[in-house]
Amino acid sequence: MPDPNDPLAPAALMARAQGVVEKHAALLEPLARLFAARGESLYIVGGSVRDAMLGREVHDLDFTTSARPDVIQEILGEWGEKVWDTGIEFGTVSAIRQGETVEITTFRSDLYDGVTRNPEVTFGDTLEGDLVRRDVACNAMAIELSLDDDSLAPTFHDPVNGLADLVIEVLDTPQEPEVSFRDDPLRMLRAARFVSQLGFTVADRVYDAMRDMAPEIQRITAERVQAELDKLMLGARPWEGIDLLVSTGVAQFILPEIPALQLETDEHMQHKDVYRHSLTVLRQATELEDEGPDLKLRWAALLHDIGKPATRAPKDGGGVTFHHHEVVGAKMSRKRLKALKYPKHVISDVGQLVFLHMRFHGFGEGQWTDSAVRRYVTDAGDLLPRLHKLVRADSTTRNAKKAARLQRTYDHLEERIADIAAKEDLARVRPDLDGNEIMQILDLKPGPEVGKAWKFLKELRLERGELDHDEAVAELKAWWENEHA
C-alpha cells in the first residue's frame, strides 16, 4: 500500500512500476521495442497497475496503445506465436508467446446512446482520453513502457488521481458518476464487485448516483449481470458488495429476493432482520472455506432463507415462524439462478443446499437414528461437505452457550456419520439387490414394477442398513405379496 503520509512520492511510484516491469521484462522488452520502432506508445493499464501500486501480486497484464488495430495486428504477428483478432472491431488484438498471453487495445473514445450499453466504437488519440472513460479512477492509472538506451524505463501516469483513491481506499469514477453509469450501467455492478474484491467503500457521489440510477441496470443482459455477480460473490468480502447493491436499490432489479428479507424478523429474535442474518451467514461460510472461494456454498449461504417472507406466520405467545421456508426457498433459488442464466449444475446444487439446510435442526444431541443419518448423507450426496459448512455458518446466535451447543450437536452428527460410514458405504447407498436380481426373483420383465421394487429396497436399506442376501430376498417377496394381495 502506498505510504499514506507521502502517497505521491516519485520514488515509491517508480519502485512499484519498476517492480512489475522487471518481473515481466522478458515479455515486455521485445514488445516495447516493436511498438517504439513504429512510433507508437504502449502502456500497462487497469487492474494490473492498481494491484502493483497496492503491492499485490500481478499476474495478467492489460495494455493500451496509440497504435490502430491493424498496426497492433502487424506488431503482434511479428512478436507472437499465434495471433487472434476476434475483438479487432473494438480495437483489441491478442497474441500468445511462450505461454504468455497479451491483449492490447487501441485508445478508445466511445460514444453511448444511453439506451443500451453497446457503444459506438471510436478510437482516441490520447492516453488521458482513454483512461477517463474507465469504470473507476483506481483502474485508470497506467505504466508507460518507454525505452532509455534500449532498456525499459517505465513511467507512471495518473491523470485522474486514482492513486489518491487507493490511499484512502475509496472507489470513485474518473468522470461524473451519472455520466459513467448512463453510458454503461454495468459499472454500478462493477463498483459493488470492487467493494467485495478490494474491501474499499464507494465515494458518496457514486453511492448517490447508484441509488438514483438503479433502474438503469435493467438495460444489462442477464448473462453480463451473472458474470459480474460471480466476481462479486468470489471476492474477499462478498457480503459488503451485496449490501451496497441492496442499500442503493440496484439489487431490487437483479436479486429482489435479498432486499425482501429486510422486512422479516427471524424466529430467534436475535437479528434486526433476516437480511442481516443472511449476510452474516455468507460471511461465516466464507470463513469456513478450506479450498478457496466456493461459489455454490456462497450462493446457498446468501439465499438459504429467501423463502421466509412467503412462509411467515404468527406464533402463539408472540413471535413468528417460517415453517417449510427451506422448501419454498429452494424453489425460489432455482428460479432466480435460472433467470440469471446460471448453468444447470449450479442451479441444482444451490437449490439442494437451500432445501437441506434445515434438516439438521430439530434434532438434539444423541437423537439421530442410524436411518436419519443415512438419509441425510444420501440426500446430500456430493454436497455433504458444503452442507456441513452451510449448517455451521447458519448459527449466528449471540448467545455463547447456545452457539456452543449447536456446534457441539453438529460435531456429534459428523461423528455419527463417520462411525456409520466406517461400517457401511454411505457414499453409495444402494438396494441390497440389483435390477436383474429383482426381475429374476419376482419373474418380471423390465418395466415400472421393477422400479417400484428397487425403490422399496432402497428405502429399506436407508431404514435398516445393509441386509444379507437371504434377508433382502425375503423382504422383497413379502413386499411383493402385500402389493398384490
Side-chain angles (χ1 to χ4, degrees):
M1 190 70 169
D3 182 357
N5 298 317
D6 193 10
L8 304 180
L13 300 183
M14 288 310 302
R16 289 175 172 82
Q18 189 69 43
V20 70
V21 168
E22 288 178 354
K23 178 180 178 181
H24 299 275
L27 170 76
L28 299 176
E29 280 195 36
L31 204 54
R33 287 195 194 99
L34 290 170
F35 276 85
R38 299 291 292 265
E40 305 288 359
S41 54
L42 180 66
Y43 305 84
I44 305 172
V45 290
S48 49
V49 179
R50 177 199 69 216
D51 289 344
M53 293 301 146
L54 285 169
R56 298 185 176 191
E57 191 73 17
V58 176
H59 299 287
D60 300 324
L61 299 176
D62 293 320
F63 300 85
T64 189
T65 179
S66 58
R68 291 303 191 251
D70 57 335
V71 176
I72 301 174
Q73 191 171 27
E74 292 173 6
I75 292 173
L76 291 181
E78 184 177 348
W79 174 86
E81 299 159 5
K82 181 181 178 182
V83 178
W84 55 98
D85 60 1
T86 50
I88 196 167
E89 64 179 304
F90 301 104
T92 301
V93 184
S94 305
I96 188 168
R97 170 171 159 165
Q98 298 178 351
E100 295 269 13
T101 301
V102 302
E103 186 175 279
I104 303 178
T105 303
T106 301
F107 294 157
R108 294 269 294 270
S109 181
D110 300 334
L111 299 174
Y112 291 83
D113 59 14
V115 177
T116 68
R117 69 173 296 269
N118 301 318
E120 176 187 335
V121 177
T122 57
F123 300 127
D125 298 311
T126 67
L127 174 68
E128 290 74 13
D130 178 88
L131 295 178
V132 77
R133 53 172 290 279
R134 294 179 178 263
D135 45 18
V136 289
C138 62
N139 286 344
M141 299 179 290
I143 297 173
E144 184 176 3
L145 298 175
S146 49
L147 294 168
D148 183 10
D149 294 330
D150 206 35
S151 62
L152 283 174
T155 304
F156 179 68
H157 294 267
D158 184 18
V160 296
N161 297 316
L163 186 66
D165 286 350
L166 284 190
V167 171
I168 60 174
E169 300 186 341
V170 165
L171 297 164
D172 203 351
T173 50
Q175 52 189 333
E176 291 296 319
E178 291 81 3
V179 174
S180 182
F181 297 156
R182 187 175 300 111
D183 284 349
D184 186 357
L186 190 65
R187 290 170 178 162
M188 293 188 285
L189 274 185
R190 286 185 183 145
R193 186 238 292 186
F194 292 134
V195 165
S196 171
Q197 292 177 328
L198 301 174
F200 289 10
T201 58
V202 296
D204 289 344
R205 68 172 192 162
V206 171
Y207 183 94
D208 292 343
M210 290 178 67
R211 182 192 58 209
D212 295 342
M213 301 180 69
E216 295 292 313
I217 199 65
Q218 295 173 98
R219 289 162 45 193
I220 306 302
T221 65
E223 290 84 355
R224 297 305 300 270
V225 169
Q226 181 223 109
E228 285 299 322
L229 286 176
D230 272 358
K231 294 171 185 176
L232 184 160
M233 290 296 286
L234 292 172
R237 306 176 70 84
W239 56 94
E240 292 184 357
I242 292 294
D243 195 33
L244 175 63
L245 293 179
V246 170
S247 64
T248 56
V250 176
Q252 188 63 46
F253 299 97
I254 56 174
L255 283 172
E257 298 83 358
I258 303 305
L261 295 174
Q262 292 177 303
L263 304 177
E264 304 303 324
T265 303
D266 85 323
E267 67 270 33
H268 307 297
M269 300 299 175
Q270 294 296 316
H271 303 277
K272 182 178 179 180
D273 50 43
V274 179
Y275 168 69
R276 288 292 162 192
H277 164 75
S278 297
L279 293 187
T280 300
V281 174
L282 174 57
R283 176 179 58 78
Q284 294 184 166
T286 66
E287 293 169 352
L288 291 173
E289 292 170 339
D290 47 18
E291 295 183 0
D294 185 332
L295 185 66
K296 293 178 181 178
L297 173 63
R298 293 183 179 199
W299 269 120
L302 179 63
L303 300 175
H304 77 286
D305 275 349
I306 61 171
K308 283 189 171 179
T311 57
R312 183 178 187 273
K315 184 170 58 176
D316 292 341
V320 293
T321 62
F322 304 100
H323 291 311
H324 305 301
H325 74 271
E326 72 277 13
V327 178
V328 175
K331 183 177 180 180
M332 293 172 64
S333 297
R334 289 190 289 266
K335 183 177 180 181
R336 174 52 51 197
L337 294 177
K338 183 178 180 180
L340 288 169
K341 307 295 185 182
Y342 273 93
K344 290 182 179 179
H345 68 93
V346 175
I347 296 171
S348 175
D349 287 353
V350 172
Q352 185 70 350
L353 286 168
V354 172
F355 177 73
L356 293 173
H357 85 274
M358 289 296 293
R359 184 76 63 87
F360 161 75
H361 296 281
F363 290 89
E365 186 172 345
Q367 295 180 356
W368 280 72
T369 64
D370 287 355
S371 172
V373 173
R374 291 189 198 98
R375 292 178 187 277
Y376 191 77
V377 173
T378 301
D379 289 347
D382 293 340
L383 296 173
L384 185 61
R386 287 189 175 103
L387 183 59
H388 288 332
K389 294 183 179 72
L390 177 60
V391 174
R392 289 185 182 278
D394 195 24
S395 174
T396 61
T397 176
R398 296 173 190 148
N399 184 315
K401 290 184 178 180
K402 183 176 181 180
R405 184 172 68 251
L406 285 170
Q407 295 299 336
R408 186 171 60 249
T409 302
Y410 205 85
D411 289 341
H412 180 66
L413 173 60
E414 290 203 58
E415 291 168 4
R416 291 285 308 283
I417 291 172
D419 182 55
I420 296 175
K423 302 172 184 175
E424 309 173 20
D425 186 5
L426 285 183
R428 300 183 53 148
V429 173
R430 297 182 180 280
D432 295 287
L433 304 173
D434 64 23
N436 290 328
E437 290 176 294
I438 291 170
M439 288 188 287
Q440 182 179 359
I441 293 166
L442 299 181
D443 192 24
L444 294 174
K445 294 181 179 180
E449 293 287 358
V450 178
K452 288 175 62 177
W454 189 92
K455 184 177 181 181
F456 160 74
L457 287 172
K458 181 172 182 181
E459 288 295 314
L460 189 66
R461 170 76 170 78
L462 288 168
E463 188 66 32
R464 290 168 49 180
E466 292 180 290
L467 306 178
D468 62 41
H469 185 271
D470 290 344
E471 189 178 4
V473 171
E475 291 286 354
L476 176 63
K477 288 181 176 179
W479 169 81
W480 182 256
E481 290 177 7
N482 185 62
E483 285 287 300
H484 295 82

